Amino acid sequence: MARKEVCCGLSALEVVLIVLFVGMTGVSVGLISVMATVWISETTQPEPTFGPTQAPPENHFLVGVGRADCTGPVGDVPLMGYATPDQTAGGLHFRLYSRAFIVDDGSKRVVFVTADIGMASQRLRLEVLKALQVKYGDLYRQDNVVLSGTHTHSGLGGYFQYTLFMISSKGYIKSSIQPIVNGIVKSIEKAHKSLRPGRIFLSRGELEDSSLNRSPHSYMNNPEEERRRYKSNTDKQVSMLKFTDMDGDGMGTLSWFAVHPVSMNYTNRMVSGDNMGYASYLFEQEKNINALPGEGSFVAAFASSNLGDVTPNIMGPYCLNTGEKCDYLNSSCPIGGTRMCAGFGPGSDMFESTRIIGENIYKKAKELYGNAKQELRGSVHAAHQWVNMTDVTVQINSTHTAKTCKPALGLSFAAGTTDGGGDLNFTQGAVEGDPFWEGVRDALLGVPSNETQDCHEPKPIFFNTGEMNWPLPWHPQIVDVQILTIGSVAIVAIPGEVTTMSGRRLREAVKQELEANAGFSNTDVIIAGLCNIYTHYITTYEEYQIQRYEGASTIYGPHTLGAYLQLFRGLAKAIAEGRESKLPKGPEPPFFSDSQLFSLLPAPPVDRKPANTSFGEVLEQVYPVYKVGEVASVTFVAGNPRNSGDMTDNTFITVERFHNSSSKWTIVHTDASWETRFHWVKGSGGQSNATVEWHIAPSAQTGTYRIRHFGHYKQIKIFKPIITAYEGMSDAFKVTRAMGYWS
Ligand SMILES: *[C@@H]1O[C@H](CO)[C@@H](O)[C@H](O)[C@H]1NC(C)=O
Ligand SMILES: *[C@@H]1O[C@H](CO)[C@@H](O)[C@H](O)[C@H]1NC(C)=O
Ligand SMILES: *[C@@H]1O[C@H](CO)[C@@H](O)[C@H](O)[C@H]1NC(C)=O
Ligand SMILES: *[C@@H]1O[C@H](CO)[C@@H](O)[C@H](O)[C@H]1NC(C)=O
Ligand SMILES: *[C@@H]1O[C@H](CO)[C@@H](O)[C@H](O)[C@H]1NC(C)=O
Ligand SMILES: *[C@@H]1O[C@H](CO)[C@@H](O)[C@H](O)[C@H]1NC(C)=O
Ligand SMILES: *[C@@H]1O[C@H](CO)[C@@H](O)[C@H](O)[C@H]1NC(C)=O
Ligand SMILES: *[C@@H]1O[C@H](CO)[C@@H](O)[C@H](O)[C@H]1NC(C)=O
Ligand SMILES: *[C@@H]1O[C@H](CO)[C@@H](O)[C@H](O)[C@H]1NC(C)=O
């Protein structure tokens, strides 16, 4: 084992780095925990509480859609997903958004949110629910609001309250979670304000050539008769809800497709929505005519589904060094081991791969949107419970029961996947063979109890997170399970990453329970992944036996899926029988106080500039002329983007075009645009550069352009930090078409 990918957690390497850091500096983690930064939350005026007042016309719904920026500070904060310690934010590829959909049937209301982030976390959800409570009273609650993440691996981390995730993202970072909370709340607020009578249509189709199973060996361990029922080892379906007003004008669309947004690999440092974010971008740009990205009322969301074992790197894994195929069973290479095995494609680099997969998803969605005819009618329902996932008794068959386990991660968790990759051969032997590391590990991480070891069989335990509670629990015990229904569609909110077959089993179970009631005949069940709280992976019992990365990351043991099947069946049955409001709430999850959380991310240092320059000054100028298809690039003396504070709905860069007739410059691109890349490069001694690239699309208008950059720098004056805004501007340049190409 050696690699680090991983959605999400942290690598063995990372724990070791933390331990090393603690060891070398002699600082105890207890002290570090005191370093939590102070967050002064915005005080918002409570708005009057809106009840579900306006009754929609018969057989229709009240529908609201909203989108809001949730990008966060694009410097220094670790990106959430690959758990690669040096993959910290260094700029912005394109902005991240939270997208919210509200449906009201005249008496009940449900909300589904998907944000361009790695996953929803329990902390994030609790903070969002608190803010909603202040604004709307009991209108938006834990039972009728689902929060999910697209699972982009290029969003920011730092919004978790359990120790393992805090370690992998430099702690709990107020400046990182705050924009996500605000963005989600604002998207719900916008959806709330846009509520109007509307119609909802379901459209389903299949998308080929955009996903591949990355653990086929695990999948093959599922029973043959079960596998035979499916034509592929990943789910190809795209499920879409189309929202229109009563005139049939489109308000928005919400789609689910099962694929990891890991087209951008772990070498990327720019915050990015990856393939799913790009699909949203394309759809919204098409519908919001003449709007800059992130503007316009049409909302197109692409949410995650049963993507646990699904990669977008469809050329498959091969050995980086020799070009051979990786070993089928353990994804390792003859030379260099597992670290040399990586998945690629379909593009020649990660940007092209992101573009191709994003475009494929968008095109399929556009087709489904055009064909959407099946109108949803009826009412909405929401069922939610908190469950102690360490303590679920699973009925295996008529005579036998089994139990879920205290959370633990197996050895292969540290091996990562073919979407990740690392640069160290980190093996357990190497750790255990070293008396120093062994000592620190035992002191810090503890030795798993026999009970936990037995419970997780055949998983060899690496991180015994369920028995590690210092300084705070390493993994959650209390987990959300939740189902929303809108007419004949059920959305199953899964608190983690379900594999293809796990998703299929859950879908079937929920469908069966709902359809047992006449009111729910012909229900379409949608698996929504990465919802509400992150608990890593959920494999089938059979896949778990193989203990590849996904099985090793199924933290509540071999019967995790069995427990969820039982729990979601319970929710579905309650909805079918109309008693979802009577379900026991279950044990409430903890909300650790800020003083218990810790941050390992120091405040940004004072910004410095090279001698005889000023902030915003151009260090590398644009060329005077570019042809479409080329890349205009300019480098500025920059400040740390974190010193710009909340750049929500703002931009670090503009590309502006000169209009001769009015002698005015108008903005054609911002940092939310796909065509632009804002690279923030941190140098030594507080110096940094901002390089702005404009990848001039073939469709760009010819003419005169300039690029501007906006930032802030920090100085200390009389012991006080002073933040000053600066601006930079490139020379004007011309964009032309190639010879023989009329403009
Ligand atoms: C992977 O499996 C192959 C056999 O299929 C074996 O030769 C190789 O040693 C294994 N590699 C690792 C790193 O376990
Ligand atoms: C990593 O492990 C593989 C397989 O055991 C081995 O071939 C390779 O040399 C190792 N690499 C390093 C850097 O130790
Ligand atoms: C990541 O993508 C870049 C190109 O965009 C490529 O050079 C690099 O090899 C990729 N790395 C891996 C591990 O896929
Ligand atoms: C969850 O269940 C375990 C096992 O019964 C128990 O020890 C633990 O206290 C429970 N956790 C919570 C938060 O109730
Ligand atoms: C129930 O499951 C247990 C454990 O897998 C098995 O030993 C037993 O034979 C099963 N019983 C029935 C009736 O299927
Ligand atoms: C755990 O299991 C080992 C091996 O079976 C045994 O030697 C040891 O006594 C057990 N520990 C406890 C606390 O029961
Ligand atoms: C900065 O400007 C001053 C005055 O023009 C000059 O003497 C000095 O050499 C310059 N320093 C550098 C590093 O260019
Ligand atoms: C722009 O306007 C100026 C004067 O208003 C004129 O001289 C020039 O030819 C114009 N250029 C173009 C490209 O239209
Ligand atoms: C900034 O750009 C200049 C000019 O290309 C280069 O000399 C310098 O090393 C860069 N500094 C950083 C921090 O990258």
Side-chain angles (χ1 to χ4, degrees), residues 387-392 403 406 451 477-478 587-590:
V387 181
N388 185 342
M389 267 307 284
T390 72
D391 190 24
V392 180
K403 294 271 293 178
K406 289 181 188 168
E451 180 203 348
Q477 293 187 329
I478 310 302
E588 257 188 64

Side-chain angles (χ1 to χ4, degrees), residues 17-32 35 436 470:
L17 287 175
I18 296 281
V19 171
L20 178 61
F21 168 76
V22 171
M24 284 192 320
T25 58
V27 183
S28 82
V29 173
L31 273 180
I32 294 163
M35 287 160 54
F436 171 73
W470 189 84

Side-chain angles (χ1 to χ4, degrees), residues 658 660-661 663:
F658 188 67
N660 210 29
S661 50
S663 294

